[in-house]
Amino acid sequence: MDARVESSRGSGPAERASAPGHDPYHHLHDEAYAAPFAAGRVGWRDMLAMAGRRAESLDGVWNFVLDLHDEGLRQRWYEDAPAPIAGWTAPRDHDDGDWQTTTVPSCWNVARPEWTYFEGGAWYTRSFGHEPRLPGERTFLRIGAANYEARVFLNGVFVGAHRGGSTPFFIELGGHLVRGANRLQIQVDNRRRPERVPMNHTDWFNYGGLYREVGLVRVPGIFIRDFGVALVPGSHGRRIAIDVALSAPIDGVVEVAIGGLAEAIAVPVAAGAGRVEITAAPELWSPANPRLYEVEARFGDDRLHDRVGFREISVAGQRILLNGEDIFLRGVCVHEDDVATGKATSEADIRRRFADAKALNANFLRLSHYPHHELAAKIADEEGLLLWQEVPVYWAIDFANPDTFADADNQLREMIRRDRNRASVIIWGVGNENADTDERLAFMSGLAASCREMDPTRLVSAACLINREHFRIEDRLSEALDIIGLNEYFGWYEPSLDGLKQLFANSDLDKPLIITETGADAVAGHAGAPGELFGETHQSELFGKQLDLVADAPYVRGFCPWILYDFRTERRQTALQRGYNLKGLIAADKATRKKAFATLSERYSELAQQQKPAGASPAKADQNACKAAPDGHDPRGG
Ligand code: GCU
């Protein structure tokens, strides 16, 4: 990538000021300062398949400074060669050598009390040594996630940008890399804006920063940019499709091996792309049997390695079928949020989340409301948990704005590209609680179409609306979806559960529905009387009553309470909440379980038992709920 921004690299304010015709005060009057960096924005097409690749970590302590008014972009701090103040020949508004420091990955909001509510730009700077290894190698900077927008500068030159707060991106460093010491600067801006995705009004905390891993990835001159391996839908578990894309439009052959299944699969590539199908009968992945296969792909010096589960997820009438068998999704929603680390997460945090879900006897998690860390789906593959992943098309998105659609669509495609080989991910969510307008219908139907274009092997859903006039589950968007999601808070925001009963009585759906959210706030440790708001008793009893009503609605095939843990949100400041949403089944300490946890755990255990044939374990129930869909059709054949 060549810099889109004219660069006077290595100069300083004094040198620039002496340049003929240079106006040292221009930056005070240029409100279009950010536009040039948009031209260098990368997206899903610039991603690299990372399976098995090792990044050279750049995590650790970086220099850091807040920059609320984007002085760094306006005044082009990145062009100023570092110099001690004593060496300056003209004043500067930043000092590379004496900034504060912060750790990458992390969220600045939890680093210092005075940074808690900071929404603006901030600068990360560090140097790193580089020595070329292989002739023709290419080096990319990989950033696991930066919330929300990032601009990257190497050795004083703008090399790329990205927007979208929860997906990885790759910027090729190319000719701007030098042997020896390199200076890397990343400006991150977490301002919420009406035209962004999410927009400026959400019910979760707006953490900012480089909050997932940062590293360098070296690949051969021509490498495998994308790689997919999955069961062919409708093949009864008997056909596997492999598709590859190279980094250049050349012809060749990618060799693939699936350990224990097919050792030497040749994927012919023409103009950089190839796809083959093979006949095979893999042991199918499921919650009861999370069987993973070692998969390797080779092209020249490039190697990919992944652990892949083979399963089919589909719908038949009102049923959700996993490997041809009816399954009820016993779920729970979860945010990426932590008292100590904010949106930054760790393997231990993810494993705790999944252990708590299993203690709930859940088989499904809705990773709300944005793509979670890539480790989540990898660990869920091992643990045999089913996942819903979604993009933050949340509430009042600027649906009429084509640039907003481009932003949402790119985040969606980045999420799919990153997690397309994860058996645990069964549903892509394209939105949450969005008012029914023609623009919203076009926008979200477009996202659903992108899901099917990128990935025909998974189901598409969204948290939809109800028709308040006729009081029934009805949303024009449902035509574009495989599964209808429904957020309902009868028993909380709508105090009477009679509404839910009436809603189910008025509704008749021809496709499955998942209750994608329901719940109530409860202050941990405060039992409260039955029906008392913010008491654990009320929250607990609500889930029992909800599940009793759900049992009478045959099209409800999933139940996903909001939410596993209490979480930060600026918009809730009552004396009880103080900046937290308290609908967690577990308090924000991620240890104190509320009464509702036990209630739900018991009810989910009963549900699992109801679905299992005699003698099978509860987990096995998910595998054997019903040998064939009610209409007798068994897509596995036989
Ligand atoms: C909504 C929304 C959640 C929110 C929840 C609540 O359904 O999707 O993000 O936190 O309600 O009000 O607690």
Side-chain angles (χ1 to χ4, degrees), residues 203 369 394-395 432-433 487 489 493 517 562 567 572 581 583:
D203 190 33
H369 281 294
Y394 181 93
W395 291 354
N432 183 76
E433 290 189 354
N487 294 356
Y489 282 91
Y493 296 121
E517 285 184 33
W562 189 259
F567 63 94
R572 296 173 185 269
N581 183 312
K583 294 188 182 68

Side-chain angles (χ1 to χ4, degrees), residues 8 10-20 22 79-81 87-90 92:
S8 43
S11 66
E15 293 75 7
R16 281 199 298 276
S18 60
H22 176 74
E79 290 179 350
D80 300 345
W88 291 354
T89 52
R92 296 181 181 185

Side-chain angles (χ1 to χ4, degrees), residues 1 10 33 155 169 175 192 206 223 243 271 296 328 341 345 360 363 377 436 458 481 495 497 540 564 566 598 612 620:
M1 151 112 20
Y33 66 89
N155 299 323
F169 56 101
R192 285 182 274 202
N206 181 36
F223 59 91
D243 67 84
E296 185 170 291
F328 185 90
T341 62
T345 191
L360 203 56
N363 60 6
D436 184 10
R458 288 179 177 85
L481 307 176
L497 277 162
S540 170
L564 187 55
D566 292 350
K612 75 173 176 113
K620 195 76 180 159

Side-chain angles (χ1 to χ4, degrees), residues 202-204 335 366 368-369 390 394-395 432-433 463 487-489 492-493 516-521 562-563 567 569 571-572 577 581-583:
T202 64
D203 190 33
W204 70 87
H335 260 307
R366 180 186 174 196
S368 315
H369 281 294
E390 66 186 74
Y394 181 93
W395 291 354
N432 183 76
E433 290 189 354
N487 294 356
E488 48 86 4
Y489 282 91
W492 184 250
Y493 296 121
T516 34
E517 285 184 33
T518 189
D521 282 63
W562 189 259
I563 187 168
F567 63 94
T569 175
R571 63 190 282 269
R572 296 173 185 269
Q577 295 164 309
N581 183 312
L582 301 179
K583 294 188 182 68

Side-chain angles (χ1 to χ4, degrees), residues 352-420:
R352 169 176 48 198
R353 172 186 325 173
F354 290 165
D356 285 332
K358 287 200 166 183
L360 203 56
N361 291 308
N363 60 6
F364 175 66
L365 291 101
R366 180 186 174 196
L367 304 188
S368 315
H369 281 294
Y370 35 72
H372 283 210
H373 194 291
E374 59 269 19
L375 259 182
K378 284 180 182 170
I379 295 171
D381 278 4
E382 298 165 5
E383 294 290 324
L385 286 165
L386 300 162
L387 301 179
W388 161 310
Q389 286 226 80
E390 66 186 74
V391 285
V393 175
Y394 181 93
W395 291 354
I397 291 288
D398 188 355
F399 288 114
N401 184 332
D403 186 50
T404 308
F405 178 79
D407 188 354
D409 194 57
N410 181 63
Q411 291 184 49
L412 176 74
R413 291 172 183 264
E414 287 177 337
M415 173 177 72
I416 295 172
R417 263 291 175 91
R418 186 194 73 179
D419 290 348
R420 58 178 299 202

